[in-house]
Amino acid sequence: MGRLRRRLTYANVVSTIALVVAVGGGAVYAASKIGAQGIRKNAIHSFHIKNKQVKRQDIAGGSINSRKVSNESLTGKDIREATLGLVPSAEDARTVNGITERVVRASQPDPSAANQVVAQGGLAVLFVCTGGNAVMQVHGSAPGDAGTVFEPNSGTQQFDSATTQSVTTNSAATGFATVRRLDGTITRFEYELDRDDNGFGTADDCFLHGFLLSGR
């Protein structure tokens, strides 16, 4: 112990402190001077970063895109609803397990010319409003497309690509049309046909609402 005290001179203590400050201070200086250009590409990985240490202000705008996000890694809680825009209706159509589902809505003033509202799965549907009646005309889209249309008052009528059948009402009618194609596709269209006085409040109008299923 006495030997150690004889060696602890003022010069030794001062030089030791200077060394510690130099090393520590140099590390702080280096840390403050390291920028993106001083780090080798791909040298930093996720395990080098503590959780919750990367903030929004640390990420450059546009630097993260769909290619940098793993599939199924985002859930509803990760997305702010206010950042989402409106989704186009896509004519209210979707495909589930190979079956196409579509909602059909159409309206026309009385009188008006025929307007095609369905051309899908071998079925063609035209909608007419004239003479105080709402008229739905159905036929097959191509040779070999044949089917039937049913309405309680008119019963069942057969049609194909060369034969058109009509459902006419001056009030309301409901029913369905079914068509089968040569490739095995079956299409079914359930409809509600209406003709209303002053339908939009100022004129007589006709309305067609339907739901279409098509697939094999």
Side-chain angles (χ1 to χ4, degrees), residues 23-115:
V23 173
V28 172
Y29 174 82
S32 67
K33 293 299 181 181
I34 294 176
Q37 68 277 9
I39 302 174
R40 190 176 69 253
K41 186 177 180 180
N42 298 325
I44 296 180
H45 301 278
S46 60
F47 62 81
H48 292 125
I49 304 172
K50 291 184 178 180
N51 291 339
K52 301 180 181 180
Q53 293 305 301
V54 177
K55 309 298 182 183
R56 182 180 301 172
Q57 61 268 23
D58 299 320
I59 303 174
S63 62
I64 296 179
N65 52 42
S66 59
R67 296 193 304 272
K68 297 179 180 179
V69 180
S70 300
N71 291 337
E72 301 179 3
S73 62
L74 292 179
T75 63
K77 64 181 180 181
D78 298 315
I79 301 172
R80 282 191 309 172
E81 293 184 7
T83 64
L84 300 177
L86 293 176
V87 178
S89 64
E91 296 186 354
D92 296 319
R94 64 175 182 167
T95 300
V96 179
N97 294 329
I99 304 298
T100 299
E101 303 176 358
R102 179 183 170 193
V103 175
V104 177
R105 303 182 185 91
S107 61
Q108 294 196 144
D110 187 0
S112 63
N115 180 35

Side-chain angles (χ1 to χ4, degrees), residues 84-170:
L84 300 177
L86 293 176
V87 178
S89 64
E91 296 186 354
D92 296 319
R94 64 175 182 167
T95 300
V96 179
N97 294 329
I99 304 298
T100 299
E101 303 176 358
R102 179 183 170 193
V103 175
V104 177
R105 303 182 185 91
S107 61
Q108 294 196 144
D110 187 0
S112 63
N115 180 35
Q116 184 166 279
V117 293
V118 173
Q120 186 171 328
L123 178 66
V125 177
L126 289 83
F127 180 39
V128 184
C129 189
T130 184
N133 292 312
V135 183
M136 185 184 73
Q137 301 172 345
V138 296
H139 64 83
S141 298
D145 299 338
T148 59
V149 58
F150 172 79
E151 191 270 324
N153 294 326
S154 304
T156 300
Q157 305 177 76
Q158 295 183 339
F159 63 84
D160 54 31
S161 61
T163 304
T164 299
Q165 297 292 356
S166 298
V167 175
T168 302
T169 182
N170 57 12

